[in-house]
């Protein structure tokens, strides 16, 4: 029973830590299906009057705004304007569908996680030469071509011929600002602006602007959030202020007016969610350590009982010349080895349990029970510390028994 307490404690530490790690990685992977540190910028309406301009004025973003952000903002690493149109009739030699088409620049692919299963990515030369090429989502490919190969085939977008150059990997996507990427078609921005310009707004207006911050901006975000509470949308962090600063000059609105330009920043969302998951992992770890500590108390208790039951043995050993240090070392090693043996068995059981669970189908937000080397080192260190702590006191108590009183003991 004493060994089981330590064994179960180690199993708890390892399994709970592995569960938290799998949950954290799974959620991170799902969040990154939308993109890696992506900011989506939309035009809004002004809520304050500036100079001679009235409040309630619509702010429409243009290609030139994207170029200004790229040129004037020191916070942004990547900027791409985007035009989207829904309900475009797309025909292949085998089928037809009404899908959403997005006109994007090549750099858009990297920040939006548009990973290809087949074909090639969109190139800068495609955009510069206004080529009619397209990358299609996995479900769009299935709908238009079935099980046939789509790369290299021709499709008609509202009767305009395009050539499929790439097919996206299937995405398990649960967050989006315009629908799942599996059902989309992506074409060069210049081709989209020429062939399918927006008819509801003046020419040159884009649907949104996609941006990605520089690495040093992302690294400084935790410091921005420290000590701040509330909803994500209530946090006005430097990147959003920088975007408003650049665009306010071009559209004559107050840079502090958060309604003039809205921004959804997945960097902020990912960090906030990561902190929540980390809190959950810390709770799991604490529960495991408490269980392990209780097992350690069991070891100390059984060793104290052993000292009492072996009082005459201790007296005989001391009468025959054993030193206090030798007696203390004997009982310390007994308790420590008992703890480490139990812990080793518990660790082996935990690893086997994690491997068994990982053979089962996993939900999208859980990547299995992942044992990291950090968790392993922590479990071993905690086990050794508890072994030392729970063995030292019984060993010292045994070593301090006077030989004469020990020989007289009639336990």
């Amino acid at each position: 029973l004493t060994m089981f307490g330590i064994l179960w404690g180690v199993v708890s530490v390892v399994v709970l830590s592995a569960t938290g790690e799998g949950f954290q990685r799974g959620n991170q992977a799902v969040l990154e299906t939308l993109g890696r540190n992506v900011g989506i910028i939309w035009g809004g309406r002004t809520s304050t009057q500036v100079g001679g301009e009235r409040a309630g004025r619509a702010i429409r973003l243009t290609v030139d705004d994207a170029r200004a952000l790229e040129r004037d903002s020191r916070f942004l690493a990547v900027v791409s304007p985007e035009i989207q149109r829904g309900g475009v009739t797309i025909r292949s030699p085998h089928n037809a569908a009404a899908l959403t088409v997005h006109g994007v620049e090549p750099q858009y692919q990297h920040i939006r996680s548009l990973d290809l299963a087949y074909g090639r990515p969109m190139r800068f030369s495609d955009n510069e030469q206004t080529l009619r090429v397209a990358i299609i989502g996995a479900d769009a490919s299935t709908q238009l071509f079935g099980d046939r190969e789509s790369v290299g085939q021709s499709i008609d977008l509202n009767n305009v011929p395009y050539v499929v150059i790439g097919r996206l990997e299937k995405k398990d996507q649960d967050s989006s600002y315009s629908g799942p990427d599996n059902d989309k078609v992506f074409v060069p921005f210049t081709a989209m602006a020429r062939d399918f310009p927006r008819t509801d707004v003046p020419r040159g207006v884009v649907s949104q602007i996609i941006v990605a911050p520089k690495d040093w901006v992302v690294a400084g975000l935790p410091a921005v959030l420290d000590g701040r509470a509330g909803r994500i949308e209530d946090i006005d962090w430097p990147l959003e202020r920088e975007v408003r600063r650049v665009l306010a000059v071009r559209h004559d609105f107050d840079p502090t007016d958060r309604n003039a330009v809205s921004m959804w920043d997945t960097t902020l969302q990912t960090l906030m969610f990561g902190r929540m998951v980390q809190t959950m992992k810390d709770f799991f770890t604490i529960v495991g350590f408490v269980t392990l500590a209780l097992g350690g108390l069991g070891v100390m208790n059984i060793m104290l009982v052993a000292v009492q039951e072996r009082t005459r043995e201790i007296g005989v050993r001391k009468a025959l010349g054993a030193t206090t240090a030798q007696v203390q070392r004997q009982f310390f090693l007994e308790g420590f080895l008992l703890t480490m043996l139990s812990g080793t068995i518990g660790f082996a059981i935990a690893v086997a349990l994690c491997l068994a669970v990982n053979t089962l189908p996993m939900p999208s937000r859980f990547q299995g029970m992942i044992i990291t080397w950090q968790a392993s080192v922590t479990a071993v260190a905690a086990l050794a510390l508890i072994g030392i702590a729970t063995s030292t006191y019984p060993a010292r108590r045994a070593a301090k028994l006077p030989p004469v009183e020990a020989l007289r003991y009639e336990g």
Side-chain angles (χ1 to χ4, degrees):
L1 289 177
T2 300
M3 292 182 68
F4 180 78
I6 292 292
L7 181 152
W8 183 250
V10 172
V11 169
S12 299
V13 170
V14 175
V15 168
L16 290 175
S17 175
T19 301
E21 185 68 24
F23 185 71
Q24 183 178 36
R25 293 192 186 185
N27 279 274
Q28 183 67 27
V30 169
L31 289 173
E32 288 187 355
T33 58
L34 176 63
R36 305 176 183 92
N37 299 326
V38 179
I40 303 100
I41 306 169
W42 294 279
R45 287 187 178 275
T46 58
S47 60
T48 59
Q49 183 177 0
V50 178
E53 300 290 348
R54 61 182 175 82
R57 179 169 49 93
I59 302 298
R60 293 191 173 99
L61 301 180
T62 66
V63 178
D64 291 337
D65 290 330
R67 301 293 175 252
L69 286 170
E70 192 173 30
R71 181 183 63 250
D72 299 336
S73 174
R74 61 189 182 91
F75 285 18
L76 299 177
V78 182
V79 180
S80 173
E82 181 177 10
I83 300 175
Q84 70 180 65
R85 283 191 60 179
V88 176
T89 301
I90 303 176
R91 290 186 174 88
S92 74
H94 312 284
N95 203 358
L99 302 174
T100 301
V101 178
H102 289 249
V104 299
E105 294 182 339
Q107 64 271 22
Y108 174 96
Q109 301 167 99
H110 304 293
I111 58 176
R112 278 281 283 107
S113 302
L114 299 186
D115 300 322
L116 295 178
Y118 301 102
R120 69 168 178 86
M122 194 182 300
R123 298 169 180 163
F124 285 96
S125 58
D126 298 330
N127 194 60
E128 292 167 357
Q129 298 173 28
T130 320
L131 298 184
R132 286 173 173 159
V133 294
I135 294 175
I136 62 177
D139 291 344
S141 177
T142 301
Q143 187 171 1
L144 292 171
F145 294 95
D147 296 332
R148 303 174 185 87
E149 178 59 63
S150 57
V151 176
Q153 299 296 316
S154 178
I155 57 176
D156 290 341
L157 280 63
N158 284 353
N159 298 320
V160 179
Y162 277 71
V163 176
V164 177
I165 60 171
R167 182 175 75 101
L168 297 180
E169 288 185 350
K170 178 76 171 179
K171 279 190 176 186
D172 192 2
Q173 183 179 351
D174 73 345
S175 60
S176 174
Y177 60 91
S178 57
D181 294 338
N182 293 323
D183 301 325
K184 295 179 180 178
V185 175
F186 298 90
V187 302
F189 180 86
T190 53
M192 183 77 176
R194 179 192 61 193
D195 295 337
F196 312 106
R198 294 183 61 184
T199 58
D200 58 329
V201 292
R203 194 171 185 85
V205 173
V206 299
S207 302
Q208 54 266 332
I209 297 175
I210 312 302
V211 300
K214 294 181 178 178
D215 291 339
W216 64 267
V217 177
V218 178
L221 183 55
V224 175
L225 295 181
D226 285 342
R228 299 191 182 186
R231 301 175 302 171
I232 293 179
E233 54 267 30
D234 293 334
I235 299 175
D236 185 17
W237 78 291
L239 180 59
E240 187 175 348
R241 291 199 301 270
E242 175 78 354
V243 167
R244 289 201 307 271
R245 180 190 67 79
V246 174
L247 296 179
V249 175
R250 296 181 50 79
H251 292 275
D252 296 322
F253 65 83
D254 186 349
T256 64
D257 186 357
R258 300 185 66 180
N259 293 319
V261 173
S262 60
M263 180 175 177
W264 176 24
D265 182 18
T266 64
T267 308
L268 194 61
Q269 182 183 23
T270 300
L271 182 60
M272 296 286 283
F273 191 85
R275 288 190 171 188
M276 182 184 71
V277 174
Q278 185 60 49
T279 300
M280 180 193 69
K281 285 180 61 179
D282 293 342
F283 174 75
F284 283 170
T285 303
I286 291 172
V287 170
F289 282 139
V290 169
T291 305
L292 185 58
L294 292 176
L297 291 177
V299 171
M300 185 169 64
N301 182 61
I302 202 67
M303 290 305 299
L304 288 172
V305 172
V307 170
Q308 185 175 3
E309 291 180 346
R310 295 163 64 183
T311 300
R312 286 184 62 82
E313 174 192 333
I314 295 170
V316 171
R317 287 201 63 198
K318 284 196 169 184
L320 293 176
T323 64
T324 298
Q326 289 174 329
V327 174
Q328 181 172 337
R329 183 167 57 251
Q330 174 192 351
F331 280 87
F332 174 81
L333 290 176
E334 286 183 14
F336 186 74
L337 291 176
L338 179 66
T339 302
M340 297 306 292
L341 177 61
S342 305
T344 302
I345 297 173
F347 190 83
I349 292 175
V351 171
L353 181 61
C354 291
L355 292 176
V357 171
N358 290 343
T359 61
L360 302 175
M362 299 294 169
S364 60
R365 287 189 174 272
F366 184 63
Q367 288 195 351
M369 303 180 73
I370 302 173
I371 302 176
T372 62
W373 69 267
Q374 295 95 333
S376 301
V377 170
T378 301
V380 171
L383 181 65
L385 181 62
I386 289 176
I388 293 172
T390 56
S391 302
T392 299
Y393 177 66
R396 289 177 60 85
R397 185 168 178 177
K400 289 183 178 181
L401 286 175
V404 176
E405 293 184 10
L407 288 170
R408 291 177 181 173
Y409 181 74
E410 298 293 340

